[in-house]
Amino acid sequence: MHADEIRSVLRGVIDPELGVNIVDLGLVYDIAIDSDAIAVVMTMTTPTCPLGEYLVEAVERALLQEFPDSQIGVELVWEPAWQPEMITAEGRRQLGWTDHSRRVV
């Protein structure tokens, strides 16, 4: 099991408000893998996002479905604060943004 495999599974977790997956939105900050455990550190677009609990549970469900023998941990953090520049090129494309309409870092 590798971080890329985890990221691939997490691309199936869609933010229902924006219709873009949490990886391409830049909400996934870190993935750690141990022999029988997967830990994901993620954020929301704002601390007041009403979808926080829903998305954390969706991440847990998706990972347990794909890796049923693993212990899953999801940590929701607020630092660093999410910024639109964290959205990937694919996420910007899905949102209909062009590189000249949003600053790309």
Side-chain angles (χ1 to χ4, degrees):
M1 165 175 26
H2 299 281
D4 287 340
E5 291 175 275
I6 306 301
R7 230 176 251 100
S8 179
V9 170
L10 296 180
R11 279 194 169 87
V13 178
I14 306 297
D15 180 307
E17 288 184 326
L18 299 174
V20 177
N21 72 73
I22 63 172
V23 173
D24 287 323
L25 282 176
L27 300 180
V28 177
Y29 284 173
D30 192 31
I31 297 169
I33 303 165
D34 200 351
S35 59
D36 64 346
I38 301 168
V40 176
V41 177
M42 63 181 289
T43 195
M44 297 290 113
T45 55
T46 112
T48 59
C49 177
L51 295 173
E53 187 175 321
Y54 167 82
L55 288 175
V56 166
E57 290 174 0
V59 166
E60 291 170 345
R61 278 191 311 273
L63 292 174
L64 280 172
Q65 182 175 347
E66 190 68 27
F67 307 102
D69 296 328
S70 296
Q71 294 179 355
I72 307 299
V74 180
E75 180 182 4
L76 196 56
V77 299
W78 306 112
E79 293 294 326
W82 180 86
Q83 300 293 319
E85 291 82 10
M86 295 174 170
I87 301 173
T88 67
E90 175 59 20
R92 289 189 305 272
R93 186 195 66 72
Q94 290 178 37
L95 290 168
W97 294 2
T98 59
D99 284 345
H100 63 275
S101 67
R102 293 281 189 242
R103 193 179 113 216
V104 179
V105 177

